[in-house]
């Protein structure tokens, strides 16, 4: 059986993975073009042999999505900053101080994301937007599981350092 | 163990990438070291912010237009290839790829008629229309004589399938559930290979293992194919291991205090008499309601008037809670928290289980009020759970609510919180009162998955009692942890062996599914049966001397007790005692089920076996058959004799009678939903 006449498995895959893929693609090409990239990913899935793809479905989807997204980005010849945060998260949102501080911290972490080396940034995106396992990230990026662990470890440390640095700077300015 | 706070394993731990042994190591180190603990907290915080931040700025689902294109593409995969495309992103270099990928979209169908209708509704209609001619064919084929009373189907199976479909429908409509990444589940099995596991020579491999996380889905599918659609199931949905494990066996329970018992039996392989069939069983102790682990139970109860006033909601819950309380004692803790109430204080602060008057009063006086955010009450519930955490016991938060439940924008954060708490040993179960086929049911189910608990839709008093009493009082506490099995064959007597069934879990390309090889937790009442076919080594002793003891294999089970502290081992050697005919009824019954599976799969190993042989064998080994389950199996076998074989070219698309079904039988994605 090459493929079922009605490829509902693709729809099932869609219902499960569309949100993580959109998160992931948005971080690379921006939210406006993410939908196109994700659509394209699933269109390609339609043409795959289910038995071959399904054992590593998530890794497959993210690999294809990544390639599409990088194509688009290359075409635009500019890196979409991950932190379009300002439009999405207005600073003057009402709310308790704690929530505000949290949002501020989040904004900084996302901002710092763009300062990471490419590989680290990719690993972080796959992990935190797609929730891929180390094994799957390794598959997508074509590296080893232990290297994924190392990339993420280094990336998170760098992110925190960046955020703390900005915290200190902000503290100095306030004084 | 000393750990540097710069150890990459800390992050792996936070992200759930360590296995249980490694996690324990980290937890041990973490207890004694505030610096490490702070580091872990900071990592969690960063991870959470990244998850949340990345989620916030992305669209949650595809725009309707693009979704529609996709739905068309999935439906039309087999149609002639015409590729008129509407897309924003057309670039020359993409065109070729797109033309291949998007196989066809008949223009008229795509744009003309459906703008007004919700996508899922349309998908359902399309599927129904698509199915109609197929149905006609089915009818023609099933005119063969069939015993009337055999066509009834297990209602539970049907309900389950129905619920699955509804949930899936809801998932497609709302797009909500995909916000929470699902934990990978072992039941997500890939399509089994059509070919069977081969015989393995003991000279190359003498040690093996078998999966303990048995599923039984294949049996109900096979049953439905035969009974409802009147045809033999396609080979690849027949999983012999699942068929065998769909039945209850009467093996002796563990002796004394032991949580586990292992058993090994051998006899002729009915399909190839020169071979042996080995039945290996692992059985966990049945649930003992008098001896149970201490419980620390937090009930988060919906306080909206809609919930409290409906006789099928709060009153049901109260009745079940009273029953739970009646079984508690001083070692247990109960907390009640209002969900949706304005108060920050728990309705009932953590109270020891023997203070029954106080708990019962609090349960009875529970009454409706205003509304607040869901996340808040759950957070408070976790705090209460942490405060009276019982080691080695049940630490569980129950969220009882109805179809009005919505986590809204909180869902991502809530899920992260729940996931996080689940790693510390506090689980979350959800109880859904009222119709649960909408987004509320979906959300509750997902939250329970994150919380390593279970989701129970509550339709009546029985549901409420089972869900609460069993869950709260320890049915769901593993009684043996990190269970691993090893089977060592003796090459001296065994030339080769073959694991029957489990085709999709073996072989190099299944690496991703090999999680089953890792340790598994077993719960009270759990039982696993594995069957091996052995090819004995021909007797070369010449017969002059007394033959040595024909020792075939050793089954070794290693596990830790419920606390996870003490490791234990069971060792069962198996001697070839085929001549003595000491096999249990269970052995013969399991053999007949396996033989049936091999026949359905048209396995190259099915030997001389015929369906009539299987029927005879099954009939002789019904045993006491408490639920009449085995008798139904015999009925099923007899029904198969009237059943045409499934053609190779045209696999039945929709054997279940439901119209508009999006789920193919044997669909692992479906079975996971």
């Amino acid at each position: 059986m090459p493929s079922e006449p009605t490829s509902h498995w693709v729809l099932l895959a869609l219902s499960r993975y569309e949100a993580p893929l959109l998160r992931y693609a948005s971080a690379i090409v921006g939210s406006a073009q993410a939908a196109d990239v994700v659509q394209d990913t699933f269109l390609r899935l339609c043409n795959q042999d289910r038995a071959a793809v399904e054992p590593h479905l998530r890794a497959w989807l993210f690999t294809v999505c990544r390639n599409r997204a990088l194509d688009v980005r290359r075409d635009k010849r500019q890196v979409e900053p991950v932190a379009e945060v300002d439009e999405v998260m207005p600073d003057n949102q009402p709310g308790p101080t704690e929530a505000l501080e949290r949002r501020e911290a989040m904004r900084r972490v996302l901002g710092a994301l763009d300062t990471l080396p490419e590989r680290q940034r990719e690993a972080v995106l796959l992990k935190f937007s797609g929730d891929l396992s180390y094994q799957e990230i390794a598959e997508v990026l074509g590296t080893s599981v232990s290297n994924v662990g190392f990339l993420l470890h280094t990336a998170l440390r760098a992110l925190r350092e960046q955020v703390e640095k900005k915290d200190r700077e902000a503290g100095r300015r306030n004084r | 163990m000393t750990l540097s706070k710069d150890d990459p394993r800390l992050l792996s731990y936070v992200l759930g990438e360590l296995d249980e042994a490694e996690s324990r190591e980290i937890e041990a180190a973490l207890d004694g070291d505030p610096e490490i603990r702070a580091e872990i907290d900071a990592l969690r915080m960063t991870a959470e912010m990244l998850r949340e931040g990345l989620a916030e700025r992305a669209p949650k689902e595809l725009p309707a237009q693009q979704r529609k294109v996709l739905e068309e593409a999935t439906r039309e995969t087999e149609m002639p290839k015409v590729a008129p495309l509407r897309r924003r992103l057309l670039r020359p270099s993409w065109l070729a790829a797109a033309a291949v990928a998007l196989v066809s979209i008949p223009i008229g169908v795509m744009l003309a008629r459906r703008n007004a209708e919700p996508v899922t509704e349309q998908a359902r209609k399309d599927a129904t229309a698509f199915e109609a001619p197929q149905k006609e064919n089915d009818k023609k084929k099933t005119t063969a004589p069939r015993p009337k009373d055999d066509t009834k189907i297990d209602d539970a199976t049907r309900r389950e399938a129905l619920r699955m479909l509804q949930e899936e429908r809801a998932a497609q409509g709302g797009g909500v559930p995909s916000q929470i990444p699902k934990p990978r589940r072992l039941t997500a099995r890939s399509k089994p290979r059509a070919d069977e596991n081969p015989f393995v020579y003991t000279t190359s491999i003498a040690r093996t293992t078998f999966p303990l996380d048995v599923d039984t889905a294949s049996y109900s599918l096979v049953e439905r194919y035969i009974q409802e659609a009147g045809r033999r199931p396609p080979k690849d949905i027949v999983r012999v291991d699942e068929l065998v494990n769909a039945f209850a066996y009467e093996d002796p329970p563990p002796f004394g205090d032991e949580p586990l018992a292992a058993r090994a039996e051998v006899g002729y392989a009915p399909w190839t008499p020169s071979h042996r069939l080995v039945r290996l069983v692992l059985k966990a102790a049945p649930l003992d309601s008098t001896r149970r682990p201490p419980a620390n139970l937090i009930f988060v109860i919906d306080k909206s008037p809609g919930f409290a006033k409906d006789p099928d909601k709060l009153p049901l819950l109260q009745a079940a809670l009273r029953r739970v309380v009646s079984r508690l004692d001083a070692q247990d803790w109960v907390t009640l928290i209002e969900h949706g109430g304005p108060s920050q204080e728990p309705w009932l602060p953590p109270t020891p289980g023997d203070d029954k008057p106080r708990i019962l009063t609090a349960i009875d006086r529970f009454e409706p009020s205003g509304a607040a955010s869901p996340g808040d009450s759950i957070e408070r519930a976790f705090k209460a759970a942490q405060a009276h955490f019982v080691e080695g016991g049940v630490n569980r938060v129950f969220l009882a609510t109805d179809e009005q439940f919505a986590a809204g924008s909180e869902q991502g954060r809530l899920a992260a919180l729940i996931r996080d708490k689940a790693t510390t040993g506090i689980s979350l179960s959800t109880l859904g009162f009222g119709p649960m086929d909408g987004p509320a049911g979906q959300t509750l189910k997902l939250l329970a998955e994150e919380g390593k608990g279970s989701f129970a839709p509550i339709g009546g008093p029985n549901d409420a009692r089972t869900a609460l009493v069993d869950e709260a009082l320890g049915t769901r506490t593993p009684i043996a942890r990190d269970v691993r099995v090893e089977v060592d064959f003796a090459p001296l007597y065994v030339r080769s062996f073959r694991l029957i069934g489990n085709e999709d879990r073996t072989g190099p390309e299944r690496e991703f599914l090999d999680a089953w090889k890792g340790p598994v937790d077993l719960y009270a009442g759990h039982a696993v049966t594995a069957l091996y076919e052995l090819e004995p080594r021909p007797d070369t002793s010449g017969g002059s001397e007394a033959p040595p003891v024909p020792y075939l294999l050793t089954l070794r089970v290693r596990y830790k007790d419920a606390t996870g502290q003490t490791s234990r081992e069971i060792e069962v050697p198996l001697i070839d005692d085929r001549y003595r005919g000491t096999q249990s009824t269970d052995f013969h019954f399991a053999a007949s089920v396996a033989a049936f599976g091999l026949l359905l799969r048209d396995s190259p190993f099915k030997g001389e076996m015929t369906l009539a042989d299987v029927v005879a064998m099954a009939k002789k080994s019904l045993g006491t058959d408490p639920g009449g389950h085995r008798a139904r199996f015999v009925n099923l076998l007899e029904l198969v004799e009237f059943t045409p074989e499934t053609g190779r070219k045209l696999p039945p698309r929709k054997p279940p009678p439901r119209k508009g079904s999006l789920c193919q039988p044997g669909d692992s994605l479906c079975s996971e939903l």
Side-chain angles (χ1 to χ4, degrees):
Chain A
M1 263 193 294
S3 64
E4 294 116 313
T6 47
S7 308
H8 285 312
W9 70 283
V10 174
L11 292 183
L12 290 166
L14 175 69
S15 75
R16 173 130 22 110
Y17 293 114
E18 100 185 289
L21 284 168
L22 282 167
R23 286 200 289 270
Y24 176 61
S26 296
I28 301 176
V29 298
S31 47
Q33 278 176 317
D36 282 316
V37 170
V38 173
Q39 181 198 27
D40 214 68
T41 306
F42 281 102
L43 287 176
R44 295 185 146 231
L45 184 63
C46 292
N47 225 29
Q48 294 297 315
D49 180 17
R50 174 177 184 176
V53 171
E54 205 175 312
H56 51 106
L57 181 59
R58 186 151 48 172
W60 188 94
L61 285 170
F62 277 87
T63 307
V64 174
C65 183
R66 171 173 179 260
N67 291 343
R68 296 285 96 207
L70 294 181
D71 274 354
V72 170
R73 194 180 70 179
R74 200 173 305 127
D75 212 40
K76 285 167 57 186
R77 298 203 187 282
Q78 62 164 50
V79 178
E80 191 84 21
V82 166
E84 311 166 339
V85 266
D86 283 336
E87 358 166 334
V88 197
M89 304 174 207
D91 274 349
N92 52 0
Q93 228 177 27
T97 344
E98 202 177 309
L100 266 178
E101 272 169 13
R102 197 186 143 77
R103 295 197 84 70
E104 177 61 22
M106 192 162 38
R107 215 171 57 86
R108 284 192 186 147
V109 173
L110 288 187
L113 211 45
D114 292 319
T115 65
L116 291 179
E118 189 56 25
R119 296 289 278 180
Q120 292 182 20
R121 184 169 176 275
E122 292 227 58
V124 168
L125 290 182
L126 287 168
K127 180 71 225 177
F128 296 103
S129 63
D131 203 35
L132 272 67
S133 67
Y134 282 17
Q135 172 66 46
E136 286 163 332
I137 298 175
E139 254 175 77
V140 175
L141 296 182
T143 182
S144 69
V145 173
S146 59
N147 193 34
V148 170
F150 172 77
L151 284 174
L152 283 172
H153 170 72
T154 322
L156 257 70
R157 194 176 52 194
L159 284 179
R160 283 166 54 201
E161 274 165 14
Q162 286 274 345
V163 170
E164 277 160 25
K165 204 171 90 191
K166 280 188 202 151
D167 271 345
R168 277 197 304 277
E169 282 166 10
R172 233 175 278 137
R173 266 205 308 278
N174 287 347
R175 242 172 266 143
Chain B
M1 181 181 67
T2 48
L3 260 179
S4 144
K5 78 180 181 69
D6 214 23
D7 195 316
R9 277 180 305 166
L10 293 184
L11 179 61
S12 309
Y13 169 73
V14 167
L15 297 177
E17 285 280 348
L18 295 185
D19 66 33
E20 217 162 314
E22 290 172 308
S23 296
R24 292 236 172 83
E25 261 181 59
I26 302 273
E27 275 154 21
L30 193 147
D31 273 343
D33 192 342
E35 198 180 33
I36 301 279
R37 182 169 276 283
E39 179 71 13
I40 293 266
D41 286 343
L43 283 171
R44 282 216 172 104
M45 179 82 155
T46 313
E48 202 185 327
M49 284 196 291
L50 281 168
R51 273 203 191 94
E52 206 178 323
L54 287 167
E56 214 160 298
R57 41 179 306 282
K60 301 273 182 284
E61 53 188 288
L62 287 176
Q65 191 64 28
Q66 275 162 321
R67 176 182 290 269
K68 219 179 281 173
V69 171
L70 265 174
E71 292 202 356
E72 291 296 346
T74 57
R75 282 201 327 112
E76 317 287 350
T77 326
E78 304 242 311
M79 309 277 281
K81 308 197 173 190
V82 201
L85 282 194
R86 170 230 63 90
R87 280 158 20 111
R88 270 189 289 151
L89 263 181
L90 291 186
R91 289 202 300 141
S93 66
W94 281 38
L95 266 174
V100 177
L102 180 65
V103 190
S104 94
I105 315 251
I107 316 164
V109 185
M110 183 182 120
L111 291 174
R113 56 189 162 92
R114 47 183 68 139
N115 293 343
E117 292 186 84
V119 181
T120 46
E121 175 61 14
Q122 188 58 46
R124 196 184 60 75
K125 284 188 182 165
D126 289 345
T128 313
F130 205 65
E131 247 179 309
Q134 181 69 22
K135 284 269 159 197
E136 286 300 310
N137 289 344
D138 284 357
K139 273 186 202 138
K140 278 176 209 147
K141 285 194 182 164
T142 49
T143 43
R146 282 166 54 169
K148 256 267 152 68
D149 55 344
D150 276 335
T151 53
K152 62 171 185 265
I153 188 159
D154 185 358
D155 277 343
T157 314
R158 199 198 298 271
R159 262 205 310 277
E160 175 61 25
L162 227 123
R163 202 164 53 81
M164 229 161 66
L165 284 164
Q166 286 167 340
E167 280 161 6
E168 171 205 320
R169 194 75 28 74
Q172 291 204 328
V176 181
S178 7
Q179 288 173 27
I180 305 180
K182 283 196 152 198
R184 187 189 294 153
R185 293 221 323 233
L186 291 170
T187 43
R189 296 169 64 169
S190 69
K191 202 174 229 174
R193 293 180 300 181
D195 50 334
E196 307 269 323
N197 288 334
F199 277 96
V200 176
Y201 284 96
T202 51
T203 42
S204 49
I205 298 174
R207 172 173 293 179
T208 177
T209 181
F210 56 86
L212 297 176
D213 61 317
V214 289
D215 199 346
T216 59
S218 175
Y219 183 70
S220 42
L221 284 171
V222 166
E223 207 175 31
R224 287 170 70 187
Y225 259 93
I226 295 166
Q227 292 185 331
E228 292 186 23
R231 49 172 78 191
R232 292 190 184 200
K235 287 162 199 167
D236 54 7
I237 74 152
V238 182
R239 294 169 173 154
V240 182
D241 54 309
E242 295 193 2
L243 303 192
V244 169
N245 279 293
F247 294 90
Y249 297 99
E250 294 154 14
D251 300 290
F255 182 76
D257 284 347
E258 297 293 323
L260 286 185
R263 181 179 189 186
E265 297 184 273
V266 61
Y268 292 107
W271 45 87
T272 311
S274 64
H275 287 180
R276 303 281 184 277
L277 181 67
V278 169
R279 174 172 175 265
L280 303 179
V281 182
L282 200 58
K283 189 167 189 168
L287 185 68
D288 179 353
S289 52
T290 59
R291 271 198 330 238
R292 55 170 184 82
N296 170 27
L297 310 172
I298 294 86
F299 297 96
V300 180
I301 305 172
D302 195 322
K303 225 186 171 191
S304 65
F307 185 80
K309 297 253 164 74
D310 189 329
D312 282 336
K313 291 175 182 172
L314 183 61
L316 274 189
L317 175 68
Q318 285 169 320
L321 280 176
R322 278 184 220 112
R323 193 177 283 264
V324 171
V325 173
S326 70
R327 302 201 191 171
L328 298 180
D329 39 35
Q331 59 173 353
D332 307 308
W333 291 92
V334 178
T335 311
L336 302 184
I337 289 179
E338 308 162 37
H339 167 60
S343 167
Q344 288 298 308
E345 290 304 309
W347 181 259
L348 173 74
T351 307
D354 57 352
D355 193 355
K356 292 198 168 54
R358 192 163 161 222
I359 303 175
L360 290 173
T361 314
I363 291 172
D364 290 340
R365 296 214 180 138
F366 200 82
E367 53 191 24
S369 71
S373 74
D376 191 36
S377 54
I378 292 173
E379 263 182 72
R380 282 186 284 131
F382 279 124
K383 279 200 190 104
Q386 197 69 59
H388 293 278
F389 191 88
V390 288
E391 281 301 330
V394 180
N395 293 282
R396 179 160 299 202
V397 173
F398 287 85
L399 172 62
T401 182
D402 62 8
E403 75 276 10
Q404 301 298 328
F405 178 81
S409 57
E410 294 261 275
Q411 187 165 329
R413 195 175 65 81
L414 200 52
L417 170 77
I418 291 168
R419 192 185 311 125
D420 195 42
K421 291 293 175 185
T423 60
T424 67
I426 303 173
S427 55
L428 175 107
S429 283
T430 50
L431 310 168
F433 291 78
M436 277 294 131
D437 47 1
Q442 196 66 28
T443 310
L444 289 176
K445 189 171 182 212
L446 285 160
L447 292 182
E449 269 175 28
E450 296 289 356
K452 294 197 176 162
S454 64
F455 161 66
I458 310 286
N462 276 342
D463 292 344
R465 202 170 49 228
T466 336
L468 270 174
V469 180
D470 291 358
E471 285 268 311
L473 300 181
T475 329
R476 301 299 300 164
T477 310
I479 59 173
R481 294 179 191 266
D482 293 356
V483 185
R484 293 171 195 266
V485 285
E486 263 171 28
V487 185
D488 279 316
F489 290 98
L492 193 56
Y493 295 98
V494 180
R495 186 146 176 260
S496 62
F497 66 90
R498 175 175 111 78
L499 175 61
I500 297 176
N502 294 298
E503 282 77 18
D504 53 336
R505 306 222 234 189
T506 48
E509 75 274 31
R510 299 288 177 237
E511 193 202 347
F512 145 84
L513 293 164
D514 275 1
W516 65 263
K517 281 186 181 164
V520 168
D521 291 351
L522 292 184
Y523 297 89
H526 194 112
V528 191
T529 294
L531 296 177
Y532 283 92
E533 185 176 345
L534 308 188
E535 182 197 5
R537 212 172 269 289
D539 189 0
T540 51
S541 64
S544 55
E545 298 164 36
V549 183
Y551 158 80
L552 295 176
L553 61 88
T554 308
L555 168 64
R556 227 174 256 112
V557 184
R558 297 203 175 91
Y559 65 96
K560 293 178 185 152
D561 61 7
T563 62
Q565 303 298 320
T566 325
S567 293
R568 303 198 208 181
E569 186 170 314
I570 309 176
E571 206 175 87
V572 184
L574 179 64
I575 290 163
D576 192 357
D577 56 359
R578 69 204 147 89
Y579 301 109
R580 281 172 240 154
T582 52
Q583 304 89 9
S584 64
T585 321
D586 284 344
F587 177 90
H588 294 291
F589 188 76
S592 69
V593 178
F596 177 55
L598 295 179
L599 283 178
L600 286 182
R601 287 176 65 90
D602 194 23
S603 160
F605 302 107
K606 69 180 179 182
E608 300 297 303
M609 205 70 186
T610 65
L611 203 54
D613 299 335
V614 179
V615 176
M617 186 159 53
K619 273 187 175 161
K620 268 191 275 176
S621 45
L622 289 181
T624 58
D625 196 15
H629 209 41
R630 294 187 183 185
R632 273 188 33 191
F633 173 68
V634 173
N635 287 348
L636 190 72
L637 288 176
E638 287 170 342
L639 196 56
V640 175
E641 297 190 299
F642 297 107
T643 307
E645 252 186 274
T646 301
R648 263 169 190 275
K649 285 229 157 156
L650 186 84
R653 196 179 304 117
K654 310 266 162 107
R658 272 188 58 81
K659 291 191 171 177
S661 159
L662 285 182
C663 267
Q664 301 279 335
D667 191 321
S668 62
L669 273 165
C670 270
S671 64
E672 201 188 340
L673 274 168

PDB file of all heavy atoms in Angstrom, chain B residues 44-55:
ATOM      1  N   ARG B  44      15.159  26.407  34.785  1.00  0.00           N
ATOM      2  CA  ARG B  44      13.727  26.199  34.528  1.00  0.00           C
ATOM      3  C   ARG B  44      13.065  27.490  34.094  1.00  0.00           C
ATOM      4  O   ARG B  44      12.272  27.533  33.166  1.00  0.00           O
ATOM      5  CB  ARG B  44      13.031  25.731  35.814  1.00  0.00           C
ATOM      6  CG  ARG B  44      13.277  24.298  36.098  1.00  0.00           C
ATOM      7  CD  ARG B  44      12.036  23.662  36.701  1.00  0.00           C
ATOM      8  NE  ARG B  44      12.281  22.228  36.787  1.00  0.00           N
ATOM      9  CZ  ARG B  44      12.580  21.584  37.922  1.00  0.00           C
ATOM     10  NH1 ARG B  44      12.580  22.233  39.060  1.00  0.00           N
ATOM     11  NH2 ARG B  44      12.836  20.294  37.898  1.00  0.00           N
ATOM     12  N   MET B  45      13.436  28.535  34.835  1.00  0.00           N
ATOM     13  CA  MET B  45      12.857  29.845  34.570  1.00  0.00           C
ATOM     14  C   MET B  45      13.179  30.283  33.137  1.00  0.00           C
ATOM     15  O   MET B  45      12.303  30.698  32.388  1.00  0.00           O
ATOM     16  CB  MET B  45      13.476  30.816  35.582  1.00  0.00           C
ATOM     17  CG  MET B  45      13.022  32.213  35.436  1.00  0.00           C
ATOM     18  SD  MET B  45      11.432  32.376  36.261  1.00  0.00           S
ATOM     19  CE  MET B  45      11.504  34.115  36.607  1.00  0.00           C
ATOM     20  N   THR B  46      14.463  30.160  32.773  1.00  0.00           N
ATOM     21  CA  THR B  46      14.855  30.563  31.424  1.00  0.00           C
ATOM     22  C   THR B  46      14.115  29.730  30.379  1.00  0.00           C
ATOM     23  O   THR B  46      13.603  30.255  29.397  1.00  0.00           O
ATOM     24  CB  THR B  46      16.377  30.382  31.239  1.00  0.00           C
ATOM     25  OG1 THR B  46      17.022  30.935  32.378  1.00  0.00           O
ATOM     26  CG2 THR B  46      16.863  31.076  29.998  1.00  0.00           C
ATOM     27  N   ALA B  47      14.057  28.426  30.634  1.00  0.00           N
ATOM     28  CA  ALA B  47      13.381  27.551  29.682  1.00  0.00           C
ATOM     29  C   ALA B  47      11.925  27.954  29.527  1.00  0.00           C
ATOM     30  O   ALA B  47      11.392  28.023  28.421  1.00  0.00           O
ATOM     31  CB  ALA B  47      13.471  26.099  30.145  1.00  0.00           C
ATOM     32  N   GLU B  48      11.307  28.249  30.646  1.00  0.00           N
ATOM     33  CA  GLU B  48       9.895  28.593  30.610  1.00  0.00           C
ATOM     34  C   GLU B  48       9.686  29.900  29.835  1.00  0.00           C
ATOM     35  O   GLU B  48       8.758  30.024  29.043  1.00  0.00           O
ATOM     36  CB  GLU B  48       9.393  28.736  32.039  1.00  0.00           C
ATOM     37  CG  GLU B  48       7.903  28.582  32.174  1.00  0.00           C
ATOM     38  CD  GLU B  48       7.468  28.852  33.603  1.00  0.00           C
ATOM     39  OE1 GLU B  48       8.238  28.539  34.529  1.00  0.00           O
ATOM     40  OE2 GLU B  48       6.390  29.427  33.773  1.00  0.00           O
ATOM     41  N   MET B  49      10.589  30.854  30.094  1.00  0.00           N
ATOM     42  CA  MET B  49      10.440  32.134  29.394  1.00  0.00           C
ATOM     43  C   MET B  49      10.630  31.963  27.897  1.00  0.00           C
ATOM     44  O   MET B  49       9.939  32.591  27.099  1.00  0.00           O
ATOM     45  CB  MET B  49      11.425  33.146  29.961  1.00  0.00           C
ATOM     46  CG  MET B  49      10.947  33.667  31.298  1.00  0.00           C
ATOM     47  SD  MET B  49      11.790  35.155  31.822  1.00  0.00           S
ATOM     48  CE  MET B  49      13.382  34.552  32.151  1.00  0.00           C
ATOM     49  N   LEU B  50      11.576  31.107  27.518  1.00  0.00           N
ATOM     50  CA  LEU B  50      11.790  30.883  26.090  1.00  0.00           C
ATOM     51  C   LEU B  50      10.554  30.247  25.470  1.00  0.00           C
ATOM     52  O   LEU B  50      10.084  30.671  24.420  1.00  0.00           O
ATOM     53  CB  LEU B  50      12.999  29.974  25.882  1.00  0.00           C
ATOM     54  CG  LEU B  50      14.357  30.661  26.006  1.00  0.00           C
ATOM     55  CD1 LEU B  50      15.468  29.639  26.081  1.00  0.00           C
ATOM     56  CD2 LEU B  50      14.583  31.584  24.802  1.00  0.00           C
ATOM     57  N   ARG B  51      10.030  29.218  26.137  1.00  0.00           N
ATOM     58  CA  ARG B  51       8.838  28.548  25.607  1.00  0.00           C
ATOM     59  C   ARG B  51       7.705  29.537  25.428  1.00  0.00           C
ATOM     60  O   ARG B  51       7.082  29.636  24.389  1.00  0.00           O
ATOM     61  CB  ARG B  51       8.378  27.463  26.581  1.00  0.00           C
ATOM     62  CG  ARG B  51       9.072  26.170  26.346  1.00  0.00           C
ATOM     63  CD  ARG B  51       8.273  25.003  26.867  1.00  0.00           C
ATOM     64  NE  ARG B  51       9.147  23.826  26.830  1.00  0.00           N
ATOM     65  CZ  ARG B  51       9.871  23.429  27.866  1.00  0.00           C
ATOM     66  NH1 ARG B  51       9.771  24.036  29.027  1.00  0.00           N
ATOM     67  NH2 ARG B  51      10.676  22.392  27.741  1.00  0.00           N
ATOM     68  N   GLU B  52       7.473  30.260  26.498  1.00  0.00           N
ATOM     69  CA  GLU B  52       6.328  31.154  26.499  1.00  0.00           C
ATOM     70  C   GLU B  52       6.528  32.283  25.481  1.00  0.00           C
ATOM     71  O   GLU B  52       5.631  32.609  24.723  1.00  0.00           O
ATOM     72  CB  GLU B  52       6.163  31.714  27.904  1.00  0.00           C
ATOM     73  CG  GLU B  52       4.759  32.132  28.225  1.00  0.00           C
ATOM     74  CD  GLU B  52       4.668  32.624  29.655  1.00  0.00           C
ATOM     75  OE1 GLU B  52       5.358  32.047  30.519  1.00  0.00           O
ATOM     76  OE2 GLU B  52       3.942  33.589  29.898  1.00  0.00           O
ATOM     77  N   GLY B  53       7.728  32.844  25.503  1.00  0.00           N
ATOM     78  CA  GLY B  53       8.005  33.961  24.620  1.00  0.00           C
ATOM     79  C   GLY B  53       7.879  33.583  23.152  1.00  0.00           C
ATOM     80  O   GLY B  53       7.263  34.295  22.359  1.00  0.00           O
ATOM     81  N   LEU B  54       8.438  32.421  22.813  1.00  0.00           N
ATOM     82  CA  LEU B  54       8.378  32.007  21.414  1.00  0.00           C
ATOM     83  C   LEU B  54       6.940  31.690  21.002  1.00  0.00           C
ATOM     84  O   LEU B  54       6.550  31.912  19.861  1.00  0.00           O
ATOM     85  CB  LEU B  54       9.265  30.782  21.190  1.00  0.00           C
ATOM     86  CG  LEU B  54      10.763  31.083  21.220  1.00  0.00           C
ATOM     87  CD1 LEU B  54      11.573  29.805  21.321  1.00  0.00           C
ATOM     88  CD2 LEU B  54      11.179  31.872  19.980  1.00  0.00           C
ATOM     89  N   ALA B  55       6.171  31.170  21.957  1.00  0.00           N
ATOM     90  CA  ALA B  55       4.791  30.826  21.627  1.00  0.00           C
ATOM     91  C   ALA B  55       3.954  32.074  21.428  1.00  0.00           C
ATOM     92  O   ALA B  55       3.069  32.126  20.583  1.00  0.00           O
ATOM     93  CB  ALA B  55       4.185  29.972  22.730  1.00  0.00           C
TER      94      ALA B  55
END
